[in-house]
């Protein structure tokens, strides 16, 4: 499950103390450093849970996306758009999944030059098993209540809207998604 630091102090708090002495207090520095460390912890936990399936979380996400498609297949460009990753990352992800027999490439019938990635039956089976495992561990966030998890989501939506991932919710606030 990764490599717990087991330090006798919080290194982010210590960094903030040093930062404050040099440049003044910065809640933004503390927040971003905490988010980055949380991301490292979560990726480690998720990848460890997916290791028995020879998957990383990135490959798992691609498989899940394909299961959401009505036909089980999507153009590579659409996969990149939906997963919010660079086309090179999509190619590498699909290459790995194809070598594992979890996905196959096929020509896109609506675009003579395009390629679809299609999930295979073994890919669907792996997604079901892996999803059960990830759900059982609450995707590594088992220390939070449902209310806290929705709050985290809503708070990070502000950052994502500001970046341009999608338009801001209509006046009146973020819709209640649960």
């Amino acid at each position: 499950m990764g490599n717990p630091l087991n330090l006798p102090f919080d290194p982010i708090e210590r960094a903030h103390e040093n930062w404050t002495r040099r440049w003044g207090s910065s809640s933004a520095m503390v927040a971003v450093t905490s988010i980055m460390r949380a991301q490292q912890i979560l990726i480690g936990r998720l990848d460890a849970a997916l290791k028995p399936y020879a998957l990383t979380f990135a490959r798992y996400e691609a498989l899940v996306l394909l299961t959401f498609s009505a036909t089980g297949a999507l153009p590579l460009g659409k996969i990149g758009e939906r997963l919010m990753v660079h086309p090179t990352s999509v190619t590498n992800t699909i290459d790995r999944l194809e070598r594992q027999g979890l996905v196959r490439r096929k020509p896109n019938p609506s675009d003579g030059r395009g390629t679809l990635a299609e999930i295979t039956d073994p890919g669907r089976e792996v997604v079901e098993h892996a999803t059960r495992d990830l759900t059982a561990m609450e995707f590594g966030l088992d220390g939070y209540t449902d209310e806290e998890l929705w709050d985290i989501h809503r708070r990070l939506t502000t950052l994502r809207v500001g970046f341009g991932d999608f338009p801001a919710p209509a006046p009146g606030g973020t819709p209640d998604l649960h």
Side-chain angles (χ1 to χ4, degrees):
M1 174 172 98
N3 187 15
L5 298 177
N6 293 320
L7 296 173
F9 62 91
D10 180 349
I12 295 173
E13 288 292 331
R14 178 74 51 87
H16 182 253
E17 291 166 10
N18 291 327
W19 185 281
T20 299
R21 278 193 295 279
R22 179 144 187 184
W23 294 296
S25 182
S26 176
S27 56
M29 184 282 290
V30 172
V32 77
T33 306
S34 295
I35 289 168
M36 298 305 288
R37 177 62 181 144
Q39 191 254 1
Q40 292 170 340
I41 292 167
L42 290 172
I43 289 297
R45 291 189 74 192
L46 296 169
D47 284 351
L50 293 167
K51 189 173 184 170
Y53 306 103
L55 291 177
T56 61
F57 192 67
R59 281 183 270 157
Y60 168 78
E61 285 183 303
L63 288 174
V64 168
L65 180 62
L66 291 172
T67 67
F68 290 161
S69 166
T71 63
L74 288 170
L76 299 186
K78 185 66 71 179
I79 293 170
E81 177 184 299
R82 298 273 168 80
L83 295 180
M84 299 171 279
V85 297
H86 191 273
T88 304
S89 296
V90 174
T91 300
N92 291 336
T93 296
I94 297 305
D95 285 349
R96 295 287 302 265
L97 291 170
E98 190 172 34
R99 283 195 298 272
Q100 291 176 267
L102 305 177
V103 164
R104 71 177 142 258
R105 281 184 168 86
K106 66 182 201 176
N108 186 343
S110 62
D111 174 4
R113 297 176 299 147
T115 301
L116 298 176
E118 180 179 55
I119 191 166
T120 62
D121 289 339
R124 289 181 188 281
E125 188 174 322
V126 164
V127 165
E128 291 303 318
H129 292 288
T131 299
R132 276 195 292 274
D133 290 353
L134 292 175
T135 302
M137 66 178 284
E138 296 192 44
F139 289 84
L141 294 169
D142 49 327
Y144 294 94
T145 66
D146 280 348
E147 183 178 319
E148 290 170 325
L149 293 169
W150 282 110
D151 187 50
I152 291 167
H153 167 71
R154 280 189 289 273
R155 289 174 186 274
L156 293 175
T157 295
T158 302
L159 175 69
R160 296 173 55 227
V161 166
F163 186 73
D165 279 359
F166 53 92
T174 302
D176 189 2
L177 301 172
H178 62 286

